[in-house]
Structure formats: structure tokens, C-alpha cells
Amino acid sequence: MQVTRRQALGLSLGLSAGALAIVALGPGLNAARADEAATDKSLMELTGGKTPEMGKITLNAPEIAENGNTVPISISVDSEMTESSYVESVTLLADGNPNPAVATFHFSPMSGEATATTRMRLAKTQNVVAVAKMSDGSVFMDKKLVKVTIGGCGG
Amino acid sequence: MAAPKPRVKIPKSAAAGEVVTIKTLISHDMESGQRKDKDGNVIPRQIINKFTCEFNGKPVFTCDVEPAISANPYFEFTAKVMESGTFKFAWVDDNGETYTHEQAIEVK
């Protein structure tokens, strides 16, 4: 069958549109993977390569954040907080923000309890991760997905 | 940005060994460095990058702060008080300034 010019044009347009779509999608996909990769890298640097266990630390974050500019979050770690056994630090990471680092809380036996509350910016729907480093070297984490309706990067 | 004003809430008194809750707030834009002005130029970062709390000279709680912390940073944490004394708070600004606040507590 002979291909008409109309058919040939349609075919080539379709092919190039498809190619463009893949190219357009590519950077988007890479960006998403880059955010998670950056967060994983921060996590590994933080723990010295150790994989954190789940448990002991609880991260409280809203399921839906109405305003990404100010999202209340709190952490609480199950610990005696005595000179011999306490939480040294808790680090917060956000895997969809321009930079994953959010804050690191440093506690001491004088803290009484290893709890802290603050407000953070979330650029879009993403996971917030909390990593606790204990005085004995053990590392624990908790993770929560927060849906964001209005992003908090001020743009 | 007007001069940052710190505000702290601690109970006036506590029993020895009690764990008290401390709430702190400071007015500060926390310019993240992500925003652009109307001409498309990036507005430079200027944030509080560190918050510290000491009691009678000993560190209780410190926070390393990143641009992801919201404007007018709020930090709530606890301290176990064994004796009367003074809490000293400090907020360190990217521009080199440190804002401080002190508050006493009576421990019976």
C-alpha cells in the first residue's frame, strides 16, 4: 500500500511528539530520583553508613499540610535520658525539598525528655524523616508522608 | 526586617527534678535563599542558623537550623531542673549577630 503524504506527516509528527514527551519526562523523573538520592546520601553520612532501625523515635506530622510554609512537626524518643543512656541528636530530613536538611536537635541528660517541636517548610508533598542517634551509637528512624496543598518555597 | 524579638515561655517555678516545657519564638524572616525578587534575582539567604539553650551555664538543648525551618522559628523542648537558676537562650544569625534572652526559674 502506498503511504500518502498525509499519513507520512502524521507518523513523523507522532514520533517526534513521542520523543519530545520522553525527553520532557526525563528530567522530571531524574529530579524526583535526585531528591530521594540526596536524602539517602544525607542519611548515610549522618549514620556513618549504618541503616537506622525503626522504633524508639516517633515523628508527628500532619497528614495534610494546608500551608507548606509552616508545617508543625514534633519528635519524641523513648529514652531514659540519663548520663549513661540518652539521645544525642535527632535530625530531620525532607526528601522533596531543594535541600533535604531541615534541622538537628542536640539533647543532653539535662533535657529530661528527648522531645522537640518546631515548624518547617515543605516545598511539596513528600516524606519527612527523623533520625535519632543514641549515646551508645545506635540509630533509629521514623518517616511520615505529608501531603502539601500549597508549597512552601515562597515562589 | 525589624530587629528580631525573642519570646520565651517557661514556668516561673518547679519542683526539683521536674521536667519543664520551654517554648521559644523569635521574629525572623528566615530568608531561605530560594526566592527571587520581581526582577528574577535570587534574594540572598539570611536565616537563624543556630539556637542554644543553657541552664546555669550547662547546655540543655541546641538546634542546628537550616532554611527549611519556617519564618519566626519556633522551638519547644524540655529541661529537667534540679536547682533554681537562669536559662540563657541564644539565636545566631547568618549575618553574624546573636540575639539573646535570659529567664530565671525558682526550683523548690
Side-chain angles (χ1 to χ4, degrees), chain B residues 6-13 21-24 53-56 81 83-91 100-106:
Chain B
R7 271 209 296 242
V8 173
K9 195 163 176 183
I10 317 175
K12 287 211 179 60
S13 64
T21 297
I22 300 173
K23 299 180 185 189
T24 71
C53 170
E54 277 182 8
F55 183 67
N56 289 347
V81 287
E83 70 222 334
S84 296
T86 307
F87 280 101
K88 286 201 181 147
F89 306 91
W91 291 260
T100 60
H101 181 83
E102 281 185 25
Q103 204 149 318
I105 187 169
E106 193 194 324

Side-chain angles (χ1 to χ4, degrees), chain A residues 69-71 97-99 101-121 153-155, chain B residues 19 25 29-30 32 34-35 55 58-72 74-80:
Chain A
N69 275 303
T70 172
V71 183
N97 272 353
N99 294 308
V102 178
T104 297
F105 304 121
H106 298 275
F107 298 96
S108 73
M110 284 192 67
S111 297
E113 290 168 16
T115 67
T117 300
T118 187
R119 299 184 298 218
M120 63 174 290
R121 292 168 168 148
C153 265
Chain B
V19 175
L25 185 66
D29 290 345
M30 296 292 282
S32 65
Q34 297 289 329
R35 292 198 311 153
F55 183 67
K58 285 198 260 176
V60 173
F61 176 82
T62 299
C63 182
D64 300 327
V65 186
E66 301 284 340
I69 292 295
S70 305
N72 304 323
Y74 174 77
F75 300 115
E76 182 180 322
F77 52 96
T78 59
K80 188 170 186 171

Side-chain angles (χ1 to χ4, degrees), chain A residues 110-146:
Chain A
M110 284 192 67
S111 297
E113 290 168 16
T115 67
T117 300
T118 187
R119 299 184 298 218
M120 63 174 290
R121 292 168 168 148
L122 288 173
K124 55 182 180 175
T125 294
Q126 61 188 285
N127 292 301
V128 179
V129 179
V131 184
K133 282 167 91 167
M134 316 297 267
S135 53
D136 65 4
S138 56
V139 187
F140 294 89
M141 69 174 266
D142 192 10
K143 182 156 103 167
K144 288 269 171 8
L145 177 66
V146 182

